[in-house]
Amino acid sequence: LYDFLKELYLFEDVDFDKWSSLISNSPYASPFQTPEFYDFINKNQNMEVQVFAVGAKAYEALCVVTLQKEKGIKGYFSRRAIIYGGPIIATTATEEQVKDLLTEIQKFYKSRAIYIEIRNFFDYSVYKNLFLANNFRFVPWLNFQLPVQSPEQINAAISKSRVRQIKKALKQGVTWQVAEKEEDVLQFYNILSDLYRSKIKKPLFEKEFFLHFFRANMGKYLLVYFNNRVIGGIMCPILPQKAIY
C-alpha cells in the first residue's frame, strides 16, 4: 500500500521511542497526537484511528487520524477523518516529507471518509501553501493560548467581577477537585448531556467515551461540587509540561 522507499509507516510499524522523541521536541505537539490518545480512541465505538509517520533515524512528521461516524444508517454518510491538533512536525522536516505524509493520508482515506479535516491548534502558516497544494481549504479560526507559569499571572488574567463570583461561591461552600471516581464522571456527563439536548442540540459522545477518558492516562476532569454533588466541570486533555486543553 505504501512506498517504503519514502520511509512512511503505519501504526504496526511505528517506533514508539521515535514517536515520543518527536512529541518532546516538536513545537506542534499536542495530547491528541500521542500514543495515549491513539489507545483512548481505539476503545470507543463508531471511531477508528490510524497513525502515519515519516522519517528514518528519527521521525520528521507524524499524524494520528481519527475516523468518526454516526450510529446506524447515518454512519456511511457521516464518515469524517479528523486530525485533532494538527500533525506533529519536526523543525528539521523538509516540505517533501510533509507532502508525503499528507499525500498518503489522502490516499488511505479516499474511499474511507467523505472528507479530511485538520483542526489545527498551532500556527501552520509556514506550511499553508503546501496544504493548499494538497487540496485542503484554509478556514480561519480562533484559538486562545493563556500562559499559566505562576498564580500571579493567572490571577491578573481574571476579571475583578469573576474574582468576586469565585469568592462568593467559595463562601457558600462550593469546592472543586480532580475527579477521583467514575460516579463523579457520570454526574458530569449527565449535566453535559442535558445541555446538549436542551440548548446545544448537537450529538454528544456516549458516556463510555467519557469513562474511557477517565481511565486513560492523557488528561483530567476538573469538577465543581456543592453539597457533595457535581454541579459543573471541564474535561481536560493534557500534554505534560506543555499545555492543558
Side-chain angles (χ1 to χ4, degrees), residues 115-166:
Y115 64 84
I116 300 173
E117 179 181 358
I118 302 174
R119 297 184 180 177
N120 51 300
F121 296 157
F122 304 95
D123 182 1
Y124 286 95
S125 57
V126 66
Y127 297 106
K128 183 175 180 178
N129 290 335
L130 189 61
F131 288 129
L132 295 176
N134 279 269
N135 299 315
F136 283 94
R137 180 169 59 91
F138 180 72
V139 179
W141 205 254
L142 182 61
N143 293 323
F144 288 96
Q145 294 183 348
L146 302 177
V148 292
Q149 279 85 359
S150 69
E152 293 76 20
Q153 193 175 40
I154 297 169
N155 291 333
I158 302 175
S159 68
K160 291 182 179 179
S161 62
R162 181 67 68 191
V163 170
R164 286 195 298 270
Q165 291 171 356
I166 294 171

Side-chain angles (χ1 to χ4, degrees), residues 42 99 148 204 228 241 243:
N42 249 344
K99 179 183 176 182
V148 292
L204 179 66
N228 297 317
Q241 307 302 315

Side-chain angles (χ1 to χ4, degrees), residues 86-103:
I88 307 179
I89 304 172
T91 55
T92 53
T94 65
E95 282 202 4
E96 188 65 24
Q97 287 171 320
V98 178
K99 179 183 176 182
D100 287 344
L101 185 72
L102 295 176
T103 300

Side-chain angles (χ1 to χ4, degrees), residues 12 168 195:
E12 54 266 23
K168 182 178 180 180
L195 284 171

